[in-house]
Amino acid sequence: MALNWIIAFLTGHSQVCKTSDGRFSDPQPITSSIVQGSDIGPTLWLIMESDLYPLSDANVIFKYADDSNLLVPENTDCTLADEFSHIKRWADTNGLIINFDKAKELVLHLPHVTRHNLPQSLAGI
C-alpha cells in the first residue's frame, strides 16, 4: 500500500523554472529523481543510498538528505581514488549522476607538520 502511494507520488509530475525577471518556463516532465522540495524527498534519498558503503572499514561515508561525504584518512587500506571509483560505479548502477560541479576535495592536516603526505588529486574535482 505505501509502496503504491510512493510510486504514484513519483510519477506524472512536471516542473517549471522561474527566471529572475518573473517569467516561467514551459512545464517539463520529471523523468527521474523526485519532486524538488517535497517533504518525502530526503527520506527517499536515504532509502535509495542505504546500500552505499565504503570499500574499507577505515573509511567513512556520511549521508545527509541528498548529500554524501566521503572521509578517507591518511592511514587506510583503500585509496581515495579507489573509494571514489566505487561510488561512481554505485551511482551508475543506480541510475544516478554525480554533479562534479558541486563535488569538492578537501585535504586536512595538522599545523606545523614537517612532512605532508598529500593524496593525488582526483580528476575533475
Side-chain angles (χ1 to χ4, degrees), residues 10-62:
L10 294 175
T11 55
H13 287 280
S14 62
Q15 65 181 11
V16 297
C17 291
K18 183 177 180 182
T19 62
S20 59
D21 62 0
R23 293 183 298 142
F24 290 91
S25 68
D26 292 332
Q28 298 294 316
I30 299 173
T31 58
S32 62
S33 190
I34 58 165
V35 179
Q36 187 172 358
S38 66
D39 290 336
I40 196 169
T43 301
L44 291 176
W45 173 253
L46 290 173
I47 293 168
M48 172 67 184
E49 72 171 359
S50 64
D51 66 340
L52 175 59
Y53 292 99
L55 293 172
S56 171
D57 290 337
N59 304 335
V60 180
I61 297 177
F62 296 101

Side-chain angles (χ1 to χ4, degrees), residues 55-71:
L55 293 172
S56 171
D57 290 337
N59 304 335
V60 180
I61 297 177
F62 296 101
K63 305 171 192 175
Y64 177 74
D66 64 348
D67 270 339
S68 299
N69 295 286
L70 172 64
L71 177 63

Side-chain angles (χ1 to χ4, degrees), residues 36-110:
Q36 187 172 358
S38 66
D39 290 336
I40 196 169
T43 301
L44 291 176
W45 173 253
L46 290 173
I47 293 168
M48 172 67 184
E49 72 171 359
S50 64
D51 66 340
L52 175 59
Y53 292 99
L55 293 172
S56 171
D57 290 337
N59 304 335
V60 180
I61 297 177
F62 296 101
K63 305 171 192 175
Y64 177 74
D66 64 348
D67 270 339
S68 299
N69 295 286
L70 172 64
L71 177 63
V72 179
E74 180 180 5
N75 299 317
T76 181
D77 57 340
C78 185
T79 67
L80 175 61
D82 290 340
E83 284 286 9
F84 194 63
S85 292
H86 166 68
I87 290 172
K88 288 192 294 186
R89 281 190 305 275
W90 177 89
D92 288 343
T93 300
N94 288 282
L96 300 172
I97 299 170
I98 296 174
N99 186 345
F100 288 99
D101 291 336
K102 288 182 159 182
K104 305 291 182 225
E105 180 178 355
L106 176 65
V107 178
L108 303 173
H109 61 84
L110 296 173

